[in-house]
Amino acid sequence: MQFKHPEILYFLFLLIVPVLVHLFQFRRFKKEYFTNVQFLKSISIQTRKSSQLKKWLLLCCRSLLFITIILAFAQPFFEAKDNKNSSNEMYIILDNSFSMQAKGKQGELLKRAIQELLEETPENTNFSLLTNTETYWNTDIKSIRSTLQNLKYSAIPFELDHLLAKINAHPTTAKKDIIIITDGIGIEPKQLKSIPKEDVSYFIIPKSEQKNNVAVDSVFINETTTDFYDISVQLSSYGDDTKPVSVAIYNQNKLIAKTVSNLETPKKTLQFSIPKQAFHGYVSISDNGLTYDNNYYFSISKVRKTNAISIGEAAKSNFLARIYTNDEFSYSNSELAELNYNNIEKQDVVILNELDEIPQALQTTLKAFSEKGGNLIIIPSAKNSIATLNSFLANFGKIQFKSFDNTEKLISKINFNHPLFSGVFENKISNFQYPSTKASFTVSDSSPAALLYNDQSTFLTALQSAVSSVCIFSAPINTENSNFQQSPLIVPVFYKMAQFNQNNGVTALTIGNQNPFIVDASLSKDGILEVKNANEHFIPIQQIRNTKVKMTFNDLPQEAGNFEIYNQKQWIENISFNYNRKESNLNASDSNILSDYNTAESIKSVFQSLQTDRMDNQLWKWFIIFALLFLLCEMAIIKFLK
């Protein structure tokens, strides 16, 4: 037992006072009895014995009364078993990602967690609250009550290591209690390493009752005909008992297609045909799982011709005119000697077709063209200087041409996962007629190749930036050196290279993705583009690049939907945003990775545990009770004992 104020124990010396008083009352006097009262002697002896017993009992009661009062003021206590962490600062991490929409026994997981926080958090407890997007330092439950009640789901997935980094960066010298409320989806073992060993962490993992969920993953154009777009809608199903779902497509909130799909496999792709015109709408499904991933918003811009120019001999460029037709492209060819450099910045794609030499002025112009969002295709010439080629390519990335090899090779492998072939092939093919080259450069490249030779060396590769791509062949493809122009591959390859990052396909951005978006717009020096719809309005980060504007959205907008881009009041283009689908799989959590950490069933149990383990067992109340009992005993002795 310990005392909070041990100095008060010195008052125990005052116990000598009642002892002295009682001893003084016990002084003996010599008594002489007269004859006429001597007969009372025996009665007096009996009374004296009773009086002495009463005084001894009173002495004990009063002494114990003084002792218990003095001990009560000294505040005795038994030290808490976790007393060393009693001064810890508290941090509460609340996962408000979309997976917390799942329903448990008492409703949606997030709403139930908020309600329990409001009900069970002691009013005098100071803490800091961190959600996926917001941070509230040094607050209490009264101050943050309205914020919690209005907390919305976040489009940013739950990333525990980032939130722990914020806590660790917060200036404090105290140890920490970290309470993490999450369903566990997205937590990986490496994220847990961010928890300092000296701090105390508690995981509260609410469980969802419904594990089945269906999500719309993506939409892309599978084929374009004269009057229609054939689009593919990809669905993902999670869980063991997935029921058929209704799938509908809306353009400007007008229903244009609808079907019911049985999900026999975890991934299923549905095909729809929609009119070949500007589209600004969404795909919608109806299921009993999460609701945030039931709508997929996308836009298709009005078909705009892609400006393309090839620089090289006209005879070697005839095959490009057959690929870049007038219905989708504005194509032209120019000999190097006749090239107007001012026309380059107006193009979307430039093809260097077997130029023997690349002048320095052209290299500088093409570097600026690529930085502003233009696509570049480089077909080397057998007469190219390797040193000149490497000096030019160094402007775009890490790729080096080595030697020129006169060995015939077959082009036998397609990298179907390469962005150039996204949506090109329905199935992986392997039995096509392999084109070949008679001579080629040896290429050293760290990026994955799009087309490879049978010896796994590179035939076609791409250096991609956030706004453009530079596609590089390792061999001339003229008819004397290669039969690639007769291969079925040539059309989709050159078509995709020209259309990369152009806004002629499906526009469906992911909130939180840092990839920029290029839009055609001529702005004044002080001009800005705005993005808005009926519910939200914001100005993204933007950079003017001649007749184009590069926009970066970061974590905007806050809600998924169809938006429009405006230059002041003039409409520029449609754009759509969707939530990240990382939270769709409700079976993704692994509770085993938390086996080495403190877990609790509820917030209430955490606070009870902290209170039990960290609060000293105060005994002064018991001593006050004993003092009152001794006082009552004293009063009873005085009144009833004769």
Side-chain angles (χ1 to χ4, degrees):
M1 187 169 66
Q2 301 181 44
F3 295 91
K4 190 173 182 180
H5 303 292
E7 65 276 5
I8 294 180
L9 295 178
Y10 286 112
F11 285 95
L12 290 173
F13 288 110
L14 296 177
L15 289 174
I16 196 172
V17 175
V19 173
L20 290 176
V21 171
H22 280 263
L23 289 177
F24 180 77
Q25 292 178 350
F26 290 162
R27 287 185 306 167
R28 291 185 177 181
F29 298 92
K30 188 176 181 179
K31 299 180 180 180
E32 293 292 338
Y33 295 97
F34 294 96
T35 303
N36 58 346
V37 293
Q38 194 171 4
F39 70 94
L40 298 173
K41 182 178 180 179
S42 59
I43 299 175
S44 176
I45 291 172
Q46 294 177 1
T47 305
R48 189 181 304 122
K49 289 181 179 179
S50 175
S51 177
Q52 287 179 353
L53 177 61
K54 180 177 181 179
K55 289 177 180 179
W56 280 113
L57 290 174
L58 288 174
L59 175 60
C60 291
C61 287
R62 288 169 181 171
S63 298
L64 291 172
L65 175 62
F66 273 104
I67 290 172
T68 52
I69 291 175
I70 292 170
L71 291 176
F73 277 98
Q75 295 189 23
F77 65 91
F78 288 117
E79 188 177 54
K81 64 179 181 181
D82 193 20
N83 186 61
K84 63 180 181 179
N85 290 318
S86 59
S87 60
N88 286 11
E89 291 184 357
M90 181 177 289
Y91 296 83
I92 299 176
I93 296 177
L94 179 58
D95 179 4
N96 63 326
S97 59
F98 282 112
S99 62
M100 294 286 282
Q101 277 185 344
K103 294 181 179 179
K105 293 181 179 180
Q106 297 176 305
E108 293 184 16
L109 300 184
L110 178 62
K111 293 182 179 179
R112 180 56 194 163
I114 291 173
Q115 187 63 31
E116 194 172 357
L117 272 175
L118 295 173
E119 292 176 354
E120 304 298 341
T121 305
E123 292 186 353
N124 59 346
T125 299
N126 289 327
F127 60 90
S128 297
L129 176 69
L130 292 86
T131 68
N132 293 22
T133 54
E134 303 295 335
T135 303
Y136 307 92
W137 301 110
N138 301 323
T139 185
D140 55 62
I141 199 64
K142 284 185 178 179
S143 303
I144 207 169
R145 181 177 298 275
S146 61
T147 300
L148 281 172
Q149 290 173 338
N150 296 318
L151 184 64
K152 296 182 178 180
Y153 292 99
S154 168
I156 307 302
F158 182 66
E159 296 177 334
L160 180 59
D161 49 347
H162 291 175
L163 298 175
L164 290 172
K166 284 186 179 181
I167 293 176
N168 295 333
H170 188 61
T172 180
T173 57
K175 294 171 64 177
K176 307 178 185 72
D177 290 326
I178 304 175
I179 302 175
I180 303 165
I181 307 172
T182 175
D183 56 4
I185 294 177
I187 295 181
E188 300 176 357
K190 63 180 181 180
Q191 295 178 337
L192 300 175
K193 295 179 181 179
S194 302
I195 302 177
K197 294 182 179 179
E198 65 273 12
D199 295 335
V200 182
S201 62
Y202 297 87
F203 281 89
I204 301 173
I205 311 294
K207 302 293 184 181
S208 62
E209 297 269 304
Q210 171 65 266
K211 295 291 186 180
N212 297 327
N213 184 49
V214 180
V216 186
D217 274 348
S218 61
V219 175
F220 57 89
I221 296 176
N222 189 47
E223 186 178 352
T224 302
T225 62
T226 305
D227 299 317
F228 293 94
Y229 290 122
D230 290 337
I231 65 170
S232 297
V233 177
Q234 189 173 70
L235 305 180
S236 293
S237 61
Y238 306 95
D240 300 326
D241 186 23
T242 305
K243 297 180 180 180
V245 296
S246 173
V247 185
I249 299 180
Y250 294 85
N251 186 11
Q252 300 283 4
N253 295 321
K254 181 181 179 180
L255 180 65
I256 62 172
K258 189 172 184 179
T259 188
V260 175
S261 174
N262 293 311
L263 301 171
E264 304 89 356
T265 58
K267 297 282 186 181
K268 185 167 185 179
T269 301
L270 305 179
Q271 306 295 334
F272 293 89
S273 291
I274 62 175
K276 189 178 180 181
Q277 59 188 24
F279 183 94
H280 196 44
Y282 57 95
V283 175
S284 179
I285 65 172
S286 178
D287 74 328
N288 294 324
L290 303 177
T291 58
Y292 89 97
D293 54 12
N294 287 354
N295 291 337
Y296 190 90
Y297 299 90
F298 68 100
S299 302
I300 302 176
S301 300
K302 184 178 180 180
V303 176
R304 178 185 66 84
K305 288 188 177 182
T306 300
N307 295 322
I309 184 172
S310 62
I311 304 172
E313 295 180 14
K316 292 182 178 181
S317 302
N318 289 334
F319 74 98
L320 293 173
R322 295 192 295 271
I323 297 172
Y324 300 140
T325 55
N326 290 332
D327 55 340
E328 294 185 67
F329 294 88
S330 178
Y331 168 76
S332 62
N333 179 75
S334 174
E335 300 274 353
L336 180 60
E338 302 172 354
L339 178 63
N340 183 352
Y341 282 40
N342 293 328
N343 287 336
I344 291 179
E345 67 178 22
K346 301 176 183 178
Q347 306 301 317
D348 298 308
V349 57
V350 174
I351 303 102
L352 298 185
N353 190 12
E354 300 187 31
L355 296 181
D356 295 339
E357 293 291 336
I358 306 176
Q360 184 61 47
L362 181 58
Q363 293 185 33
T364 303
T365 302
L366 292 177
K367 179 183 177 182
F369 169 75
S370 177
E371 291 174 348
K372 294 175 181 179
N375 295 327
L376 181 61
I377 302 172
I378 301 173
I379 306 171
S381 167
K383 298 179 181 179
N384 278 143
S385 164
I386 293 178
T388 302
L389 270 177
N390 289 337
S391 176
F392 175 50
L393 294 175
N395 295 317
F396 310 107
K398 295 181 180 180
I399 184 171
Q400 292 287 304
F401 275 51
K402 300 296 185 181
S403 58
F404 191 72
D405 188 2
N406 287 305
T407 303
E408 184 171 355
K409 296 180 181 180
L410 290 178
I411 304 165
S412 60
K413 184 177 180 181
I414 303 172
N415 182 358
F416 292 98
N417 295 323
H418 199 279
L420 277 179
F421 300 122
S422 174
V424 173
F425 302 101
E426 291 185 7
N427 300 301
K428 294 184 178 181
I429 56 175
S430 58
N431 58 346
F432 64 96
Q433 183 177 359
Y434 301 136
S436 63
T437 60
K438 296 178 180 179
S440 60
F441 288 94
T442 302
V443 174
S444 174
D445 179 27
S446 58
S447 302
L451 295 175
L452 297 92
Y453 288 111
N454 54 354
D455 62 357
Q456 303 303 308
S457 59
T458 299
F459 172 66
L460 172 64
T461 188
L463 303 175
Q464 295 178 310
S465 69
V467 296
S468 65
S469 70
V470 179
C471 299
I472 305 162
F473 288 88
S474 65
I477 59 172
N478 60 70
T479 54
E480 295 180 1
N481 186 62
S482 173
N483 61 349
F484 185 69
Q485 291 187 23
Q486 287 75 46
S487 169
L489 285 175
I490 191 168
V491 174
V493 166
F494 273 88
Y495 185 89
K496 291 292 288 188
M497 287 191 295
Q499 293 285 10
F500 179 80
N501 222 24
Q502 302 299 318
N503 298 335
N504 281 341
V506 171
T507 301
L509 306 185
T510 300
I511 298 174
N513 193 321
Q514 303 303 313
N515 290 337
F517 181 77
I518 304 295
V519 61
D520 292 328
S522 298
L523 299 182
S524 62
K525 184 177 180 180
D526 298 327
I528 58 171
L529 296 181
E530 300 173 297
V531 181
K532 57 185 177 181
N533 64 7
N535 302 318
E536 199 169 347
H537 172 224
F538 62 94
I539 299 174
I541 299 171
Q542 49 198 275
Q543 183 179 1
I544 300 174
R545 295 185 170 185
N546 294 336
T547 60
K548 298 183 179 182
V549 179
K550 170 187 171 183
M551 296 189 294
T552 306
F553 301 99
N554 295 329
D555 295 336
L556 295 173
Q558 295 182 352
E559 296 183 1
N562 298 121
F563 289 77
E564 294 82 35
I565 301 174
Y566 285 88
N567 178 10
Q568 295 181 356
K569 295 183 179 181
Q570 182 181 359
W571 175 87
I572 299 295
E573 191 168 336
N574 292 328
I575 188 171
S576 297
F577 294 89
N578 293 284
Y579 298 123
N580 195 308
R581 263 44 179 176
K582 286 184 178 180
E583 306 285 330
S584 295
N585 186 2
L586 296 176
N587 298 285
S589 61
D590 182 8
S591 58
N592 293 328
I593 65 176
L594 301 176
S595 57
D596 296 332
Y597 296 86
N598 298 321
T599 57
E601 294 183 357
S602 65
I603 298 166
K604 181 179 180 180
S605 62
V606 172
F607 283 114
Q608 286 179 343
S609 176
L610 291 175
Q611 186 175 16
T612 302
D613 295 343
R614 303 215 179 142
M615 184 174 290
D616 296 331
N617 189 5
Q618 302 290 339
L619 302 177
W620 63 270
K621 295 179 181 179
W622 289 103
F623 284 97
I624 290 293
I625 293 172
F626 286 131
L628 292 173
L629 290 175
F630 291 131
L631 179 61
L632 292 174
C633 288
E634 179 185 353
M635 295 173 63
I637 291 170
I638 293 173
K639 184 174 182 180
F640 299 107
L641 189 60
K642 301 297 181 182

